[in-house]
Every structure is written in C-alpha cells, then in structure tokens.
Amino acid sequence: MEKETRIGVVLCTCGNRLSSKIDFDSLKKYAESLPGVAKVIVTKDFCKSPEKQASEFKGKVDALIFGGCSERSSLQFNEDRIEKLMVSLGLDPAAWETVNLREQCFYIHDNLEQINRKAKDMLLMAYEKVKTNVPALKEEIKKKVLVVGGGVAGQRCAQALADLGVETTLVEEKPYLGGNAARIALLWQSEYSPSVCTSECVIPVVGRDTMLRDNIKVMVNSEVVGVTKEKGDFKVRILQKAQKVDPTKCVSCGECAKVCPVEIPNPFNLGKTKRKAIDKDFPLAIPDSYNIVDSACTECGKCVEVCPTGAIDLKAEDKYVEDEFGAVVIATGITGKDMSVYEELGYKYPEVVTLFEYERFVANNFFGKKPKEIAFVLCKKDAEGYCSRLCCLATVKDAALLAQNHPDVKVKVFYKSLRTTGRAFEELRRRAEKGGVEFIQAPVERIEKENGKLKIKSPAGTFTVDMAVLAEPLVPAQLKLTRMLDVQTDKFGFPIEFQPRVINPLETYVERVFVAGSAKGFKDVQESIESGLGAAVKVYKALKGETKKYYSEIIQEKCSRCETCLMCCPHGAISLKKRENGEEPFVEIDPNLCRGCGLCYSACPSKAIKFSNLEDRQLIRMAEVAFKNLPEGQPRILAFLCYWCAYGAADLMGIKLKEKLPENFRSIRVRCSASLSLDVIAEIIERDLADGIIVAGCPKDNCHHIWGNYMQENRIEMFNESLKLLGVKDKVVRWEYMGVPQGKKLANAIREVNETLLKVKGGCHV
C-alpha cells in the first residue's frame, strides 16, 4: 500500500474536550505537511455521524488515520465501527490506523508542550504504519455445517441451522438419536421445576423433528475418521457402517424380527433384556427403522424373505463419505468413567451399578427384582479433581422418585457435600427427606458382599443394602475428534472456549469449530438444548465469513520445515501437508483459519512467515519516529501492549484511575504479546531507538492465545540475561502480566522504568 498511497486524516476533539490540552490547528498543519496526506478534517463529534462526515474522503483517499479516542476502548467508535465505515467509503478494511489522543495522551499527561509533542509523534507512528498496510483477507467459506453427536444438543443445533436455511449433516455413532437422554427414564424439566418428563415422550419428539426437517442429512451408525483443513473449510471423512436395513424403505413393521432365529442380550438395557439380531434398540428409537447387529447375524435370509418393502440387503458394506464443511459443531456429550478403577467400591458385583445404569433399572421396573434397600454413593470429586455437577442432582431426583413411587424401598444417600443447586433440587431433596430417604454425610470407604448382601462401610457405620448406585465421575465421551480438529482442551479433555470465555461461550480456539451441550461441560437436557440453539446462531454468523486485518502466511521458498510454527499455533491453523508426488511434506498456514495471534511469526527461525499489518519492519518504522518530537535527554519509553488486556489497561490509566505519567511514554498495540519478536527489541536497542521497553501481555491463565504470554515472559527473561552478559546497563527491557483492571500496575511500571533510566550514568537522561 506504500506506493502512491493517498491518506486522509480525521482529528476529533471529542466535543472540544481534547482541545483544552491539544492544539488541533497545529496538529492539522503537521498532518498536512506529511507526504501523501490528501486531506485533513477536524471535527468535534465524529463518532455520531462518521459516514456523513467522512463522505468527503470518498474516491479521494486510499487510507485513513483517525485521531481521537481509542479503537480498543471507545464505546462508540471501536475498530468494528471503523471497519464498517471503511466499507461504506469503498476503502479496504485494513487501510486504517488510529491515534489514541484521548485515552493515552490527553487523560494521562498535563504538560501542554509535551502533550502536543507526543500527539505529533503518535500521528507519525500511525502514518508510517498505514503506508505499509496490506489489504485485508475476506474469508470465502462453504455454507455447510457438520454437527457431530446426535444427542439433544446436536439435534437442536442442526434443526435451528436447517430452519435458517443452512445445509447440515448430523453424524451419530449409535444406530439411534437421543444420546444420553434416551437412556434416562425420567428427565427433570429444569432447575426451577421439581417435576419430571419421560424420555419416551421427549426423545421421539426431538428425533422426529430432526428426521422431518429439510436441510438435515442424518448419518447414524457413523463416525468421523479423518479431518483435513483446506482453504478455510474442513474436509471430513466419515465412516458409515453398512446400512443393511435401508431407513428410506423400512416401515418398522417388525416382521423381520419375528422370523429372526437369533436372540442376543440388548446392550441398551445392560444386556438384561433380549433383542433379535435384526431389531430396534428400543421401541421408540429414531430413525424409525430396524438395524442388524453384524456380529450376531447368520445371514440366513429369513428377514429378507418377509420384508414387505425390500428394505434389507445383507450384502451391504461399510462406506466412506467425504464432504467439505465451513463449520463444525462438537456435540458428542459425556459418559461415565469406568468405576472398576475404584476397586474399594465393589463395582465388580452385579448389585453395584452406576447412576447411568440405574436409569435402565428404573425404566424396566428393576427387571422384576426390586431391591428392598438401596444406597446411593456420592462422590469422587477429590480423586478426579473436579465436581461433575449433575450427580447430586440426579441422585436427589432418583431418591425423591423412589420415595414417591416405591415407599416400601429403604433409601440411603451417602455424601460428602450435597450440592442441590437451584430451586427444583432443594425441593426434591425436601420431598425425599419427607418420604423417608436417609441422607448420611459420610464417605463410603468400602463396599463388600457377604451372604448375598452388600455391606457399605463408612465412618458413620456399616450398612446392609441390596443395591448400591455409584455416582460415576463424568468425562468427555470422546477425544479423537477434538484431536483431529486440533481443538485445545483442558487437562480433563473438555474443549477450552476462546478467551474471553465469559463472552465467547461455545467457541473453541479453532475458528468455526464450536462445542455444544455437555461436550463442553456438565449440562442437563434443557441446558444442552439451550447450548445447541446458541451454537446454531454463532455458526450462522460465522458462515458469513470475516474480514481479517491480521493473518499469517508461509513463504514456502524460505521455510526450513522445522515445524516450530506448528508447535506454537494454539488455533489449529497450521498443518503438515502431503505432496501429491510423494516428496517431503510441507507446512501450510491457512489464513482463513488464522486468528492473527502472530505466535508463529515471531517464533519462525527462518523468517519464512508473513504477518499482515504487524510485520517487524512496520514496528521498527513506528519506533523510528516514536520520539521524533521528544526533547533530547529525556528517557524514551516504548511499550508494546497486547491487543486486548494490556492495551485496555493502558486506556484506563487516566480516564478511570486518574494516573499521571511522564510524557516520554509511547505505546504500540500488538496482537498477542508473543507476536513481538526479540529481533525487533534487539534492533530497537542496537539502533538506540528507545531506552526502555515494556512488553505487557494478558494475565496468567487468561491469554487470548493460551500460552502466548508465557512464551513472551520466557523470551524476555532470556533476552535480559543476554543483555547482562553483554554488559548493557543503560537499557531496560521489562515484562509485565497485565489485566484490563491493572492500569495502576502499568502506570507504576512506566514510572519505575522512567526513574531507573533517569539514574543511568549519573542522570545523563535528565
């Protein structure tokens, strides 16, 4: 953009408030003197009607500089608003920069001469950068979505997307839809309603709605076996197991099951009931068609003979389906941990079951063997490192229903700390207690079997029961898919949501990969449905594509294939690609999936990566002019502040905290703190472009790019060791973890660096 760039400049006095310290006439003349500046306007309320006031630039400039409030913290004219304005003017959405006159000049300084000197330097920095900006990237994305997981969250997400006109494929590994909810006999309604609804009503309704929707392709008995990323889309390979019963032909008449000679235990009911080799897993299963258990089928052909619609093909084979999608929703749910690892709890005994398994006992009236005494055993949160949240709730529901429907059964609940959160569950607990359920606050140390009875041993005593129900810790139902998609997870295997998580629910660190339902954490049925619907809205918006100012690309001619970038990237945007001719694979960055953190750029030892609009050369050019108008002899302090947290803290130093700082401080807003390479810091010091450098990144555990702040802290520490070894004593390089509310911490760091530099060489900087 540097050649023949025509630049327009907008200077806003913010209702004439900034004019009390900043001479806008002088600043305007200074801007007009810069080569390439075609027009400068001064206004007092640009944010109120930007399109109208900027209309005189249309067709006359190629780029714009906005001087006034912070594009990070302004409540009316932030960078999203700027991008909208640029598009309306027919300008490239990346062809702009700002001069943060209000938050980082006017509010934090009082010396009028120095303020106006700094304002000119800030304008120069923006000017040098905008001249070298490159065009933004406009994502082109397939308007097609893959939802993995056919539970209630995945189905509701797919239904909502279909209603929005989005073509959606729903993949479920089981032969039926419904997920965990299909296994639970009685579902609680919500956190405020102490009532239940039978899954035999709810699950067929949800499943039927899925099957009858336009725009939804349902693939049951299928699993995702491979994912590659191509030009922003996800190329997915799906294994669809042999459809020996064609669901488009089967009318679910049941004639096939009647003649089938093979009877096997039904896994859906824990093997305690029977099904035929060709059958439905349960009567109301959706899709409403029969399926064949291959391992049990003898291929006798009797079912084929009686099928009235010709729906059965015993020679059907597995097939692989490949398709491309613009977005993926992970809705694979949770499962219970294998309780055999806790040997002391006696899971080896048939009378000891998990909460999930207990639900099938309830659904089948205890398979005709109703126990006289039941003990519920909570919990293993201390051993697992987290609370599964739903266990206490499910237990009080089951205990209350036992007291109501089976008053002859004695019920005990062993717990450490009963967490009946919400209105409904406190009411259910009270009903359970009123119905005679005994709540015992004591951990269960051991469960043994003696003379056909279970012995529950605890500090509260030893108790004899017929059945023990263990609250199993809940864990992610799968990890393979998250690995295929390069989705970052916590140490327990659940996907980590994009930072700041509080306002980015359901978004993973991989662009356009979302997580819904209990796949992201512990949710009941209603919460899972809410989550699925929320994910659909986010997916719909994401499919429109973003315009990216910041993104990375690899220069293949320079790449040494060291794969350092691959290890650095927290967003799954970098992959190792195979060449068609079988030669050595190559590393590729997909800019359409890049979140513009710059970690790969600064880490590349071969300088083989381009980082649009925040290249090292741009930062150096800004540093070259950052102190052009600062009087000689003053310490020059340059702060590189991460895009959200640290820069936000700087914006609040004056307007909120009323901090006053030395006027020799300048800042540059970078993406992640780790996007700043040590080469830039080294060149600034070597060329004596600044005396003090502060690099500030997100607080611990809160980096927008997971580990970027930790990477940069380690680099700065090593860099300072090098300065020590070289005997450099008149320069300061300082690292700070910085959250938005920590403006005072940043102000103190600036003052401390200033004081340190003033003392260097007996005060030669004074």
Side-chain angles (χ1 to χ4, degrees):
M1 186 181 290
E2 192 167 3
K3 290 183 180 179
E4 301 178 0
T5 301
R6 299 169 300 167
I7 300 171
V9 180
V10 177
L11 299 175
C12 182
T13 67
C14 197
N16 293 328
R17 188 179 0 166
L18 306 189
S19 302
S20 63
K21 292 183 181 180
I22 298 172
D23 185 341
F24 276 85
D25 289 336
S26 175
L27 191 59
K28 180 184 178 185
K29 289 177 183 177
Y30 191 75
E32 290 172 335
S33 70
L34 299 174
V37 172
K39 187 171 184 61
V40 182
I41 64 170
V42 178
T43 175
K44 62 181 179 180
D45 57 355
F46 189 72
C47 64
K48 294 303 178 183
S49 54
E51 279 77 15
K52 180 180 178 181
Q53 295 189 48
S55 60
E56 54 189 295
F57 290 117
K58 197 163 189 175
K60 300 176 182 176
V61 300
D62 306 304
L64 285 173
I65 295 173
F66 303 95
C69 56
S70 166
E71 85 279 13
R72 158 64 177 90
S73 301
S74 173
L75 301 180
Q76 299 190 53
F77 196 65
N78 70 337
E79 56 198 297
D80 293 332
R81 187 67 182 86
I82 293 173
E83 182 178 314
K84 181 181 176 183
L85 171 63
M86 297 294 285
V87 171
S88 75
L89 294 173
L91 298 175
D92 188 90
W96 62 270
E97 292 298 328
T98 62
V99 183
N100 192 350
L101 296 173
R102 189 176 72 178
E103 279 79 3
Q104 293 192 34
C105 188
F106 174 84
Y107 278 125
I108 60 174
H109 304 310
D110 284 333
N111 186 306
L112 296 185
E113 180 187 351
Q114 297 288 1
I115 285 174
N116 281 279
R117 287 175 177 271
K118 178 176 179 177
K120 291 175 181 177
D121 285 342
M122 294 171 75
L123 176 62
L124 270 180
M125 293 166 74
Y127 168 76
E128 288 297 334
K129 181 161 185 305
V130 82
K131 288 194 299 180
T132 56
N133 278 3
V134 298
L137 173 74
K138 174 59 180 175
E139 293 179 334
E140 296 294 334
I141 302 163
K142 255 190 198 315
K143 305 300 188 284
K144 194 172 183 179
V145 179
L146 173 67
V147 178
V148 185
V152 291
Q155 288 188 75
R156 282 304 197 206
C157 180
Q159 291 169 18
L161 286 167
D163 290 343
L164 291 167
V166 178
E167 189 178 346
T168 305
T169 297
L170 179 65
V171 172
E172 167 55 49
E173 65 178 2
K174 293 186 177 66
Y176 57 86
L177 299 175
N180 286 324
R183 299 161 58 191
I184 300 171
L186 296 169
L187 305 165
W188 66 69
Q189 301 266 27
S190 68
E191 72 84 21
Y192 71 84
S193 177
S195 60
V196 293
C197 189
T198 173
S199 61
E200 290 186 330
C201 170
V202 173
I203 299 309
V205 169
V206 175
R208 182 185 61 203
D209 287 351
T210 300
M211 298 300 296
L212 298 179
R213 278 292 204 292
D214 292 334
N215 294 325
I216 299 180
K217 177 184 179 182
V218 177
M219 298 178 69
V220 293
N221 229 14
S222 304
E223 63 176 312
V224 174
V225 293
V227 178
T228 56
K229 297 163 186 170
E230 300 285 348
K231 298 180 179 178
D233 293 321
F234 301 90
K235 190 173 182 179
V236 181
R237 185 173 171 83
I238 302 167
L239 169 61
Q240 187 173 40
K241 294 175 184 173
Q243 282 191 310
K244 296 188 176 182
V245 180
D246 187 343
T248 66
K249 295 180 179 180
C250 177
V251 293
S252 201
C253 65
E255 293 301 315
C256 55
K258 289 178 184 177
V259 300
C260 178
V262 181
E263 194 172 60
I264 59 174
N266 187 355
F268 186 77
N269 281 328
L270 314 176
K272 294 184 178 295
T273 60
K274 301 292 186 180
R275 63 161 282 170
K276 294 293 186 71
I278 183 167
D279 213 330
K280 293 185 73 174
D281 294 85
F282 55 97
L284 294 174
I286 299 286
D288 186 19
S289 61
Y290 280 55
N291 62 75
I292 293 176
V293 178
D294 283 343
S295 59
C297 179
T298 62
E299 296 190 1
C300 66
K302 291 182 179 180
C303 57
V304 178
E305 294 172 5
V306 300
C307 180
T309 60
I312 302 171
D313 178 7
L314 297 179
K315 300 302 180 185
E317 296 180 347
D318 296 353
K319 65 178 181 180
Y320 290 92
V321 177
E322 289 191 355
D323 207 343
E324 293 184 13
F325 304 92
V328 178
V329 179
I330 302 170
T332 47
I334 49 177
T335 190
K337 183 170 181 172
D338 179 6
M339 292 303 285
S340 62
V341 299
Y342 296 109
E343 294 182 8
E344 73 278 8
L345 295 182
Y347 186 58
K348 61 185 177 182
Y349 305 125
E351 298 85 0
V352 180
V353 301
T354 66
L355 269 173
F356 267 134
E357 291 168 342
Y358 174 77
E359 292 294 341
R360 298 317 303 155
F361 277 84
V362 172
N364 290 276
N365 199 21
F366 295 97
F367 301 105
K369 296 179 181 179
K370 187 170 74 172
K372 294 180 180 179
E373 295 183 88
I374 299 178
F376 290 88
V377 179
L378 304 167
C379 71
K380 282 295 179 183
K381 66 180 178 65
D382 294 334
E384 294 297 320
Y386 61 87
C387 169
S388 294
R389 179 177 175 258
L390 302 177
C391 316
C392 289
L393 311 183
T395 296
V396 295
K397 177 207 74 171
D398 289 333
L401 290 173
L402 273 171
Q404 174 185 305
N405 301 326
H406 302 279
D408 55 323
V409 177
K410 294 182 179 179
V411 182
K412 294 178 174 63
V413 176
F414 293 86
Y415 69 97
K416 294 178 182 177
S417 54
L418 196 63
R419 299 181 177 183
T420 50
T421 57
R423 293 160 286 176
F425 301 102
E426 267 301 289
E427 174 60 24
L428 288 171
R429 181 189 62 78
R430 286 191 288 268
R431 290 181 188 178
E433 286 182 329
K434 188 176 180 180
V437 174
E438 187 178 358
F439 287 87
I440 302 169
Q441 189 169 14
V444 171
E445 297 169 338
R446 194 161 195 82
I447 299 178
E448 297 175 345
K449 191 173 181 180
E450 293 181 15
N451 302 320
K453 291 276 193 176
L454 296 176
K455 297 287 186 181
I456 310 286
K457 296 185 176 181
S458 77
T462 300
F463 304 85
T464 301
V465 298
D466 301 306
M467 172 183 271
V469 182
L470 308 180
E472 69 267 51
L474 301 175
V475 297
Q478 64 76 40
L479 296 173
K480 288 192 298 182
L481 181 62
T482 50
R483 290 181 184 133
M484 288 180 203
L485 291 164
D486 301 311
V487 168
Q488 300 296 330
T489 64
D490 64 17
K491 62 182 179 179
F492 306 114
F494 289 100
I496 302 173
E497 288 163 304
F498 189 52
Q499 179 72 8
R501 298 169 190 100
V502 67
I503 60 171
N504 290 315
L506 314 177
E507 299 178 32
T508 73
Y509 269 81
V510 178
E511 192 159 301
R512 282 176 280 109
V513 174
F514 301 85
V515 58
S518 55
K520 80 175 277 282
F522 314 112
K523 296 183 179 298
D524 64 22
V525 172
Q526 189 191 64
E527 292 166 340
S528 294
I529 288 173
E530 290 171 350
S531 177
L533 294 172
V537 175
K538 284 180 168 283
V539 171
Y540 183 72
K541 181 186 177 205
L543 290 178
K544 295 179 179 179
E546 291 185 0
T547 301
K548 295 183 175 181
K549 185 175 182 178
Y550 306 102
Y551 57 93
S552 294
E553 294 178 289
I554 285 184
I555 307 168
Q556 291 296 339
E557 297 75 25
K558 292 184 178 181
C559 179
S560 65
R561 318 294 189 267
C562 68
E563 299 181 26
T564 300
C565 57
L566 195 62
M567 293 181 282
C568 286
C569 180
H571 301 296
I574 307 178
S575 53
L576 201 60
K577 298 285 187 180
K578 292 181 180 179
R579 297 184 189 274
E580 291 182 3
N581 57 12
E583 291 182 8
E584 184 182 8
F586 63 98
V587 179
E588 181 180 80
I589 298 175
D590 190 334
N592 294 283
L593 293 172
C594 176
R595 287 197 183 266
C597 65
L599 269 61
C600 60
Y601 174 73
S602 63
C604 180
S606 305
K607 297 298 177 188
I609 296 176
K610 295 188 294 183
F611 187 32
S612 71
N613 300 313
L614 265 178
E615 296 267 352
D616 286 358
R617 61 189 177 87
Q618 291 181 293
L619 299 178
I620 291 298
R621 288 181 70 155
M622 293 173 79
E624 287 172 342
V625 299
F627 303 99
K628 186 173 182 180
N629 289 283
L630 184 74
E632 289 188 17
Q634 290 191 29
R636 298 160 297 171
I637 302 171
L638 185 58
F640 292 92
L641 307 176
C642 78
Y643 210 73
W644 295 113
C645 290
Y647 198 85
D651 280 350
L652 296 181
M653 288 189 298
I655 190 171
K656 179 184 177 184
L657 302 174
K658 313 304 180 188
E659 294 287 340
K660 296 300 179 183
L661 299 171
E663 289 81 3
N664 52 353
F665 152 70
R666 312 282 188 267
S667 73
I668 294 177
R669 189 185 185 196
V670 294
R671 293 294 286 174
C672 181
S673 58
S675 67
L676 175 67
S677 73
L678 293 184
D679 291 342
V680 169
I681 298 175
E683 183 172 344
I684 289 172
I685 288 177
E686 182 184 7
R687 293 178 56 193
D688 192 29
L689 299 178
D691 304 302
I693 295 175
I694 296 173
V695 183
C698 297
K700 292 181 179 180
D701 299 323
N702 278 285
C703 182
H704 285 67
H705 308 289
I706 302 185
W707 46 68
N709 51 355
Y710 302 132
M711 285 176 61
Q712 195 66 312
E713 181 193 30
N714 290 334
R715 288 176 183 165
I716 299 297
E717 187 177 331
M718 289 188 292
F719 189 84
N720 278 324
E721 287 297 320
S722 299
L723 289 182
K724 250 187 231 181
L725 291 172
L726 292 170
V728 177
K729 297 180 180 178
D730 60 345
K731 302 291 183 184
V732 175
V733 179
R734 177 165 171 166
W735 163 260
E736 291 287 349
Y737 286 106
M738 194 66 57
V740 172
Q742 295 179 298
K744 189 170 186 64
K745 179 183 178 185
L746 179 58
N748 288 337
I750 294 167
R751 283 190 286 260
E752 288 167 10
V753 169
N754 189 56
E755 290 167 6
T756 299
L757 292 170
L758 286 170
K759 294 174 183 175
V760 171
K761 296 180 182 178
C764 72
H765 284 110
V766 177

